[in-house]
Amino acid sequence: MQRSDSPDWLNPLIGAMQQAQVGLLQLLHGLGLAGTVDGQPAWPWALRLSGENLLIDLGQARGLLWSLAAVATAIVLLVLALVLVLVLRRIRLPALVLTALAALALLLAPWPRADLILVPAHATSFHASPTGFSVESIARGGATYAQHCTACHGADGRGHGPLAASQPVWPPNFTSPLLWRRADGELLWAILHDRRPVESGDGARAHGQADRLSSDDAWALIDFMKARAAGQMLQIAGSWPYPVGLPDMAVQCAGQPARRLSTWQSRQQRLRVVAGSGPVQEDPRLVSLQLSPDGGNRAASALDCTVNDPRAWQAMALLSGSEQLQGMQWLGDRSGWLRALSRPGAQGWSEDDLVCRTDTAAKATSGVGAGALADGLGALIARMDAEPVRFIKGGFVH
């Protein structure tokens, strides 16, 4: 989520850094200057720009912003100098003055420290997950984890599997913020191509699983680990310290062909998912879906749309850190992030149900009429809209 003390310009700056690098990679790939690894363009350098560190050191972030302004100024001055010389064919002295001013702007710019904005990179650092964080990929990742990862990382992901003690380096705890502090592409590299030695049942080998897993398996594994870590953090902290997406799933609405949940998310609609049947009514402020572990009973629900895939029930249980889902409800915001959770037996919604929030309370009531805040759901929706999810891994949205 957004830091409470972050200036408004910081997130656009970090996002621009990310998009510039992705755009450069696409250009190089299109020109044949960058190869392909695991089905996507490969980053050709050993370093990349780091937006994460700028979140920690705002002084360096300001220095970078002023330096970029100096670069823009220098470019404008150099263009004017070229216009004077090549187009207007005026005396060269003004052009020399403009060129000197451009050089001075670059020289006096408060460039940030290179070791803070440049961090090690891998060929897959800018890879994007093709799964869409779906219930199908989470289920596939769970099966892959059980087969290939449990021995070292343990069934719960805390790094205490039966082979953990025999490893040169103790396996990491996947219930920590580790999965959110690294770009998805770098997690992919660690799973498939890490060359650190490990001990397995058939002897020593490299940690990377490229000889055993496909890239699709690895992406599904990342989805599963994120879902499970989110549920465990919710159990421990009572909230999601890092944003969690509402998984994509198949939805069946009365009298309509089956469709994906992502079709509503692409239209910036709020979503409510209700586990099991119960006295829940449709609400015009959001799209409501009934979630059932086995197909459910449409007649027992007042909701028109149902999710009948058992994998969806399992995925939501994983994200919520609980197998007791009957009566639980979740709210997703317009951008597809899970934001609020209501426990079974709760009497209506309140702002306390917001489990993905900023560090300090936003002025959610600003500009909202008293009628909108008369009910708990209205207040919660206003709070969600007022506190959009912003900083994720330094601008790397998963």
Side-chain angles (χ1 to χ4, degrees), residues 68-381:
L68 292 176
V71 170
T73 301
I75 291 174
V76 171
L77 292 173
L78 290 175
V79 169
L80 290 176
L82 288 174
V83 170
L84 286 175
V85 173
L86 300 179
V87 179
L88 301 179
R89 299 186 182 282
R90 297 289 183 86
I91 186 170
R92 296 182 182 272
L93 182 58
L96 291 175
V97 172
L98 291 174
T99 302
L101 290 175
L104 185 62
L106 296 176
L107 182 63
L108 297 179
W111 297 100
R113 288 168 46 189
D115 62 331
L116 287 181
I117 65 169
L118 293 174
V119 297
H122 301 292
T124 62
S125 287
F126 291 94
H127 280 28
S129 175
T131 66
F133 194 61
S134 66
V135 298
E136 296 87 353
S137 68
I138 292 172
R140 177 177 178 175
T144 301
Y145 183 91
Q147 181 179 357
H148 295 280
C149 309
T150 303
C152 291
H153 296 281
D156 59 2
R158 296 178 184 270
H160 296 284
L163 296 180
S166 64
Q167 304 306 313
V169 178
W170 198 273
N173 179 2
F174 290 142
T175 66
S176 70
L178 173 68
L179 298 177
W180 282 267
R181 289 178 178 172
R182 301 183 65 181
D184 288 348
E186 293 180 348
L187 294 174
L188 181 74
W189 182 268
I191 293 171
L192 295 179
H193 305 293
D194 191 345
R195 305 310 299 171
R196 290 177 299 166
V198 298
E199 294 292 331
S200 63
D202 51 3
R205 61 176 179 81
H207 179 274
Q209 300 276 341
D211 58 336
R212 302 185 179 199
L213 302 179
S214 67
S215 59
D216 289 338
D217 290 329
W219 286 120
L221 186 58
I222 292 171
D223 284 348
F224 167 76
M225 291 191 297
K226 284 182 177 179
R228 184 183 57 189
Q232 292 180 342
M233 286 192 295
L234 188 60
Q235 282 184 315
I236 295 170
S239 64
W240 284 309
Y242 297 90
V244 182
L246 179 58
D248 194 16
M249 57 189 77
V251 180
Q252 180 67 57
C253 296
Q256 300 180 19
R259 58 194 293 191
R260 302 294 296 183
L261 189 67
S262 54
T263 60
W264 282 291
Q265 293 173 333
S266 64
R267 296 175 183 174
Q268 298 285 297
Q269 290 182 289
R270 305 183 191 94
L271 296 166
R272 174 175 59 175
V273 180
V274 180
S277 58
V280 179
Q281 301 297 321
E282 297 284 358
D283 192 295
R285 294 168 291 188
L286 37 75
V287 175
S288 298
L289 317 170
Q290 177 195 345
L291 179 67
S292 173
D294 55 4
N297 182 3
R298 181 184 296 277
S301 174
L303 303 182
D304 292 331
C305 297
T306 60
V307 179
N308 304 323
D309 188 343
R311 293 172 296 185
W313 185 277
Q314 295 163 5
M316 297 308 295
L318 202 63
L319 282 162
S320 305
S322 173
E323 296 294 333
Q324 305 302 317
L325 298 190
Q326 182 69 31
M328 191 175 290
Q329 298 185 40
W330 304 265
L331 292 184
D333 65 16
R334 294 182 183 275
S335 298
W337 299 107
L338 276 173
R339 301 298 303 277
L341 184 152
S342 177
R343 303 288 181 180
Q347 300 299 317
W349 291 93
S350 73
E351 291 187 68
D352 292 337
D353 295 322
L354 196 69
V355 290
C356 180
R357 64 179 72 197
T358 55
D359 295 336
T360 58
K363 296 179 180 178
T365 58
S366 177
V368 180
L373 297 179
D375 66 295
L377 182 58
L380 186 57
I381 289 175

